[in-house]
Amino acid sequence: MQTDTGSERETAGVVCPPPLVYFAGLILGLGADWLFALAPLPQGSAAGGLWLGGAFGVSGLLLILWAGGRFIGAGTPLPPHRPTTALVTEGPYRRSRNPIYLGMALIYLGVVCATASPGALALFPAVILVMEFGVIRREERYLERRFGAPYRSYKSHVRRWL
């Protein structure tokens, strides 16, 4: 049996798959709404909340598809538990180092608007903190080890979120 200790097997070591971080926040928030009978957020009208939520959700989905397409085009895997094979800096990555996570945040906020969920809104900062420290910063350390100077240069002129 051969042991592979090469960098091609190294990964970012994120705490959890990013979609699960957002999903857990939504489920816990919506559960808190139900469990504690929290009053819905004011939204003017139910239709207004649905329209705003839909706009956030569609925008987030389109951003994820655009950014994910860049990963696929570069031949590098999307899941952070797999080794990265290419540094993607084009398309939405010219403006944000994490457009997929930004898209997930937009979808999360879309669900908050559509459901008028105070629980999910209250948990949004915690979700962002888990993403920041449990996912993004770990990925940044990994990418710096993996790509060195090119990644440091990219990181110096492209913002983490927006």
Side-chain angles (χ1 to χ4, degrees):
M1 180 169 151
Q2 248 182 337
T3 305
D4 186 357
T5 58
S7 64
E8 66 275 358
R9 302 300 290 161
E10 185 182 353
T11 66
V14 300
V15 296
C16 180
L20 288 180
V21 174
Y22 288 99
F23 186 70
L26 284 172
I27 294 302
L28 289 172
L30 294 170
D33 294 345
W34 175 80
L35 185 63
F36 301 112
L38 299 176
L41 295 170
Q43 42 178 216
S45 72
L50 288 175
W51 278 105
L52 184 59
F56 275 127
V58 168
S59 296
L61 181 61
L62 291 174
L63 184 56
I64 290 168
L65 292 173
W66 184 24
R70 289 296 182 164
F71 263 55
I72 292 166
T76 193
L78 279 165
H81 68 277
R82 295 189 50 209
T84 301
T85 59
L87 183 59
V88 179
T89 60
E90 295 300 317
Y93 293 94
R94 288 181 302 177
R95 300 279 183 246
S96 170
R97 295 194 313 259
N98 297 286
I100 292 175
Y101 302 152
L102 181 58
M104 289 179 190
L106 288 171
I107 292 170
Y108 185 106
L109 291 173
V111 173
V112 167
C113 290
T115 62
S117 172
L121 181 60
L123 287 177
F124 185 67
V127 167
I128 295 303
L129 285 172
V130 170
M131 288 299 300
E132 180 74 20
F133 293 101
V135 176
I136 293 171
R137 292 197 184 200
R138 290 170 182 240
E139 288 181 340
E140 288 177 346
R141 287 189 298 269
Y142 165 67
L143 292 170
E144 195 161 327
R145 284 190 313 270
R146 182 85 173 177
F147 297 105
Y151 180 71
R152 284 190 296 276
S153 173
Y154 170 67
K155 192 167 98 166
S156 73
H157 70 272
V158 176
R159 297 174 75 139
R160 184 176 282 142
W161 286 94
L162 284 177

